[in-house]
Amino acid sequence: MIATKHAFSRVILVSALLMLALGWRALAEIRAGLPPEIPWKGRSLSLALEPGDRWATPAERARFERTPRYDETIAYLKRLVAAAPEVRLVSLGKSPEGRDVWMVIASKEKAFTPERLRATGKPVIFAQAGIHAGEIDGKDAGLMLLRDMTVRGTKRSLLDRANFLFVPILSVDAHERFSRHSRINQRGPAESGWRTNAQNLNLNRDYGKLDAPETRAVVKALDRWKPDLYLDLHVSDGLDYQYDITHIFNGPHAWSPAIARWLGQHWVARTTRDLEAMGHIPGPYLALQEETDPAKGVVDGTAGIRFSQGYGDARHLPTVVVETHSLKPYAQRVLGTYVLLESTLALLGSEREALRKAVREDEARRLTEVPIDWKNSEKPGRITFKGIESRVSDSIVSGGKRVEWTGRPVELTLPFQRVDVAKATARRPAAYWVPAAAADVIERLALHGIRMERLSQAREVDVEMDRFTEVTFEPEPFEGRVRVTASSLPEKRRERLAPGSVRVPTDQPLGTLVMLLLEPASPDSFFQTGFFHRALQRAEYAEGYLMEPMAEQMLAENPALRAEFEKALRDDPTFAASREQRLDWFYRRTPYFDERWLLHPIGRELSARD
Ligand SMILES: [Zn+2]
């Protein structure tokens, strides 16, 4: 752990020295040498308006060389709202720097509240762009589609059968950290925003812990507006391949099998058909098993609740992350996103009932053993992959291998590793008890829309709680927190809970999400994210002059204790040589010692059968 810490500081020191030596200016002139561009002339090019058209979006006006800033984006949307009565802008909340996170509501019936929108009986599709503000294709695609569904009228029929909620920029402050050096791996636009928000938090690691105002705003909106489908629009990094638009969602092995099957069968089939018809190359989003050896194959993952698609899976909200391919030109990526949005709206318009049925089925599921972490399946499969030829050679820079992508399309059959086996499970209790003192946790449970019963007066409850034994902190910060893992032993206890404490039943549609947040063995739990470091510290100590006579008395009165002490002295020379450890050994065996030390403050209310 210490060695890693030193290595980390060394990296920082070396980077700082390098920056001084080369100078910021010299670094700033270096441009990323992207692999060869593959020429593309898809049918979807016909969707773009001429730059001179009065309703051309800022990106169309710049022939997709540029993407508009925040103010220019909102100004365009306000012009659209003024001209189209079926569109409205609402603010979902403020960013750390005070910008509004805007959402567009597009509804033929002008149903601009969650209640009225639901009353239309039509499906609601919620799409967000710019959770990573440099990956901004979705914003420019959404502006075009909203325009075509309203003032231009070419896609008006989509709103006959569906409602559309659209967040053009989620990470609004990061979007204004605007530079031509934000996205080293990406082919356009000329300038774009940054990956993390103004607090340097990655919003797409924040869905469980809800630290950032922008994530809180969007999760509150999902809970209030209850969309039928949630699309999170990104741009990839990673390997080169032919696909220009890819998708990710957790498979049927995870927390919403019926939804995953519907997405895999219906959504993928329909969007693939529509994208291919418009000249795009859709596919699944996969990463390389080994960066310098593409022949080792590709890997699929299962997302936890820190990610949008894992969060959606856990709360039974059909959720797809869309990744356009960073090495494709901006126009191709924006138009692909447009076609995907259009295709999704059209599909939901006709297939809403089948999807609703899948959602209801998953919401009604009450597994006794809930998977909380995932590992590789033992038998990797093979996958046919629309790849790009690569050459691997020795590198004089890294001393390892270097990969060059040649730009030549090749069809590959590659090893394919899925991560779809439960690595750990937790047994479903009837409920959890969260003490009033954990107000930060209770606040977040409420933000998620989790149903709770709040105590108005103190109450004694029988619960099972975990006592941590081995505790390991990660050596580096993660998302503004320090992650921790621990082994533990369960204890049956009677706890007195203060007014304001909450009982969180697992018998509710969000029961699985509750478990993933509150079980300490779950990787995205409040415990592992760092909310309960306070339970891991000792706060009271005994003076030696008190412990000396007390220990003498304990030894005299308790032969078994004496034998245990003498054994410890024989077995552990470090212990035997330490005055403090020896006195502490006795202090821990007195009733004065803090009996809540290392106790996870969340209680499980076990069901009758336990
Ligand atoms: Zn992203």
Side-chain angles (χ1 to χ4, degrees), residues 347-363:
L347 172 68
L348 268 276
S350 61
E351 282 226 22
R352 183 207 201 187
E353 276 324 304
L355 178 57
R356 283 238 160 144
K357 194 167 158 279
V359 170
R360 279 197 299 271
E361 192 182 321
D362 288 333
E363 281 183 347

Side-chain angles (χ1 to χ4, degrees), residues 46-120:
S46 63
L47 294 165
L49 286 188
E50 284 303 315
D53 192 290
R54 76 179 276 262
W55 281 109
T57 64
E60 287 170 319
R61 255 179 268 141
R63 295 189 187 279
F64 298 98
E65 298 291 323
R66 268 190 343 99
T67 191
R69 299 294 291 260
Y70 174 85
D71 285 343
E72 203 182 346
T73 305
I74 306 308
Y76 182 89
L77 285 169
K78 286 190 171 161
R79 193 155 75 87
L80 197 66
V81 167
E86 61 272 51
V87 185
R88 181 159 298 179
L89 269 171
V90 294
S91 173
L92 300 182
K94 295 272 188 194
S95 70
E97 290 182 348
R99 291 183 183 86
D100 280 298
V101 176
W102 291 107
M103 179 175 81
V104 185
I105 309 163
S107 148
K108 189 183 175 187
E109 291 78 12
K110 305 176 206 53
F112 298 132
T113 66
E115 297 70 30
R116 294 195 51 216
L117 201 68
R118 259 195 299 284
T120 65

Side-chain angles (χ1 to χ4, degrees), residues 130-388:
I131 188 172
H132 294 146
E135 309 169 13
I136 203 60
D137 310 13
K139 173 189 69 182
D140 290 317
L143 259 48
M144 289 172 65
L145 183 60
L146 283 166
R147 180 247 351 255
D148 291 347
M149 290 194 302
T150 56
V151 290
R152 189 160 173 243
T154 50
K155 306 288 177 187
R156 196 178 292 280
S157 64
L158 292 172
L159 286 183
D160 291 343
R161 306 184 72 172
N163 302 302
F164 187 40
L165 302 178
F166 178 64
V167 175
I169 309 167
L170 178 55
S171 195
V172 284
D173 298 340
H175 187 273
E176 294 307 286
R177 185 174 166 184
F178 210 68
S179 149
R180 52 198 280 252
H181 300 115
S182 295
R183 289 279 297 161
I184 188 170
N185 306 317
Q186 184 171 305
R187 183 165 265 127
E191 293 176 276
S192 62
W194 189 248
R195 184 175 182 79
T196 50
N197 81 348
Q199 301 163 312
N200 202 29
L201 295 177
N202 184 339
L203 303 184
N204 200 27
R205 304 293 182 274
D206 196 43
Y207 277 88
K209 65 184 169 64
L210 294 180
D211 282 339
E214 300 93 328
T215 330
R216 289 175 165 227
V218 80
V219 161
K220 245 167 40 192
L222 293 173
D223 193 52
R224 266 195 83 209
W225 294 83
K226 305 207 182 322
D228 292 277
L229 187 79
Y230 179 34
L231 295 172
D232 182 16
L233 308 172
H234 292 245
V235 182
S236 75
D237 286 313
L239 72 158
D240 199 1
Y241 43 60
Q242 297 172 52
Y243 305 108
D244 61 355
I245 186 161
T246 62
H247 57 262
I248 327 172
F249 51 86
N250 279 354
H253 59 278
W255 300 298
S256 296
I259 291 170
R261 281 193 296 271
W262 185 90
L263 287 172
Q265 285 161 18
H266 300 272
W267 184 86
V268 171
R270 175 62 178 264
T271 54
T272 299
R273 190 194 79 190
D274 291 348
L275 281 159
E276 285 177 347
M278 291 301 266
H280 293 275
I281 312 168
Y285 179 83
L286 299 166
L288 280 181
Q289 189 82 265
E290 261 182 50
E291 192 200 332
T292 54
D293 191 358
K296 287 261 160 61
V298 286
V299 58
D300 193 8
T302 297
I305 56 170
R306 71 182 72 161
F307 301 99
S308 58
Q309 80 270 29
Y311 179 70
D313 184 21
R315 68 177 291 149
H316 315 304
L317 163 63
T319 301
V320 182
V321 164
V322 176
E323 299 269 3
T324 60
H325 187 228
S326 61
L327 298 175
K328 303 296 186 283
Y330 193 51
Q332 183 178 357
R333 293 179 356 232
V334 171
L335 295 170
T337 308
Y338 178 113
V339 174
L340 182 135
L341 289 171
E342 178 190 355
S343 175
T344 303
L345 281 159
L347 172 68
L348 268 276
S350 61
E351 282 226 22
R352 183 207 201 187
E353 276 324 304
L355 178 57
R356 283 238 160 144
K357 194 167 158 279
V359 170
R360 279 197 299 271
E361 192 182 321
D362 288 333
E363 281 183 347
R365 240 173 142 224
R366 301 286 184 270
L367 286 184
T368 318
E369 290 286 334
V370 174
I372 53 175
D373 202 2
W374 305 96
K375 63 179 180 186
N376 286 354
S377 61
E378 270 157 34
K379 283 200 187 125
R382 294 188 80 73
I383 191 170
T384 315
F385 192 74
K386 290 179 180 162
I388 295 289

Side-chain angles (χ1 to χ4, degrees), residues 24 122 126-127 139 327 345 371 385 451 464 509 535 546 607:
W24 279 109
K122 298 178 188 176
F126 188 119
K139 173 189 69 182
L327 298 175
L345 281 159
F385 192 74
R451 190 165 55 75
E464 178 189 85
L546 283 174
S607 33

